[in-house]
Amino acid sequence: MTRKHYEKFAEYLLQGKEGEAVKLVDKLLTEHPRLYLFEDIITPAMYYIGVLWEKNEISVADEHLATAGCDFVISRLDAGVYENNFKSEKRKKIILLGAEEEQHYLGLKMVAGFYREKGWRVRYLGPNLPLDHALSQIKDWQPDVIGLSAALSYRLPVVKQMTEAFSQLSWSPGIIIGGRIAKKYDLSNLETGQVRVVKGLAELEQVHNVWKAGVVDETS
Ligand code: B12
């Protein structure tokens, strides 16, 4: 049943039928939380599109079309979860960025939506951020947590380098590493008391619940 939904969603994206994709998402939203849409529909649909692309069953242009449609659907899902729904300046802060040269960002964008919904203040810096630029923004805003995303195995050295640099920040922010790289490879050697490797949004929900204990009220 679920498999059919994500395949159907992928089909709509590949056919450029954004309206149909939106209708399907809206229908599913009446029965499921946003997290389900992110984790069990959109993500597997994009992975499925990756498989079709790898097998040459779709073209690069098809895959770009699907990516653009998917980006639109995620933005639409985010609409309504505005920062100013939550007034307190005491809210926790997270900065999200993609490792230098990394172009895959849809997952990171979902993480931004995830935290906005939780009432956090979010700075989503998108993909491909060089370390020095990331550091100047981070030092300026002093987030409680930094989220780093990467997809490709050859990003491992830069992920390690960025994680080490973030670990040395004076106020010891939490650091979460995610993305395809975290799902496919064992990054446990990067984990410390400060650094967590998170394989997906369901796991992020668990990590979040643990961190939430003892933390200021996020929504007041
Ligand atoms: C769309 C896409 C692209 C788009 C990306 C556009 C964009 N805006 O993101 C474009 C066209 C740019 C692209 C380019 C490339 N791609 Co590409 N791409 C894909 C595709 C089809 C989907 C990616 C995606 O959006 N997935 C859906 C998201 C939601 O999944 P996700 O990122 O894993 O996120 C989830 C979790 O990981 C988590 N998460 C993500 N980030 C974070 C961060 C934190 C902090 C946390 C907690 C969690 C978290 O949240 C999400 C929900 O659980 C994948 C297929 C796949 N299997 O992923 C190939 C894929 C990743 N790409 C691939 C390749 C080869 C490339 C290129 C090298 C192709 C080329 N020759 O140019 C380039 C590299 C570009 C670069 N410099 O980075 C390969 C990688 C294979 C490999 N061996 O590593 C794949 C697997 C396709 C394939 N089957 O061959 N790609």
Side-chain angles (χ1 to χ4, degrees):
M1 189 70 170
T2 308
R3 186 162 187 275
K4 268 195 186 151
H5 283 144
Y6 81 71
E7 282 187 353
K8 185 113 226 126
F9 180 73
E11 213 173 276
Y12 288 145
L13 294 181
L14 287 168
Q15 293 166 348
K17 293 183 179 168
E18 284 172 10
E20 295 300 321
V22 163
K23 264 194 233 162
L24 178 59
V25 162
D26 283 353
K27 181 171 171 285
L28 291 170
L29 263 182
T30 62
E31 297 156 18
H32 302 277
R34 264 164 30 114
L35 190 65
Y36 170 85
L37 268 296
F38 284 151
E39 192 74 346
D40 296 298
I41 302 293
I42 303 176
T43 299
M46 290 309 292
Y47 289 172
Y48 174 60
I49 285 166
V51 172
L52 298 179
W53 178 25
E54 202 179 354
K55 290 201 276 187
N56 262 329
E57 289 181 24
I58 59 168
S59 69
V60 171
D62 293 332
E63 177 270 322
H64 278 225
L65 176 69
T67 300
C70 184
D71 185 300
F72 171 74
V73 170
I74 296 170
S75 295
R76 199 173 167 278
L77 273 170
D78 274 346
V81 191
Y82 296 117
E83 287 250 330
N84 57 9
N85 286 349
F86 307 101
K87 296 276 182 279
S88 169
E89 282 302 305
K90 281 187 299 180
R91 286 184 296 138
K92 293 229 139 201
K93 298 191 283 188
I94 184 163
I95 276 190
L96 297 164
L97 58 120
E100 184 160 2
E101 296 195 8
E102 182 64 61
Q103 296 299 340
H104 300 90
Y105 70 75
L106 294 174
L108 193 68
K109 187 166 168 160
M110 290 181 191
V111 177
F114 173 96
Y115 275 99
R116 283 197 193 100
E117 192 177 28
K118 301 283 180 205
W120 285 44
R121 296 168 70 196
V122 177
R123 283 198 179 174
Y124 164 64
L125 307 184
N128 183 16
L129 199 64
L131 178 57
D132 51 344
H133 292 291
L135 277 175
S136 73
Q137 170 85 209
I138 288 167
K139 284 179 183 160
D140 185 43
W141 201 52
Q142 305 221 342
D144 300 281
V145 178
I146 302 167
L148 179 62
S149 182
L152 308 172
S153 59
Y154 46 83
R155 299 278 179 258
L156 266 169
V158 79
V159 166
K160 191 166 183 286
Q161 187 199 12
M162 292 178 104
T163 305
E164 282 168 1
F166 299 156
S167 299
Q168 278 157 28
L169 291 163
S170 58
W171 68 96
S172 303
I175 300 164
I176 45 176
I177 305 172
R180 184 172 169 275
I181 203 172
K183 288 190 174 178
K184 294 276 289 189
Y185 306 96
D186 178 10
L187 305 187
S188 54
N189 60 326
L190 297 181
E191 289 195 302
T192 63
Q194 192 181 353
V195 182
R196 278 293 299 256
V197 176
V198 177
K199 291 188 164 45
L201 300 186
E203 188 181 333
L204 186 60
E205 177 85 12
Q206 290 165 15
V207 170
H208 175 79
N209 287 337
V210 172
W211 279 357
K212 211 171 96 177
V215 154
V216 287
D217 179 7
E218 293 163 359
T219 52
S220 60

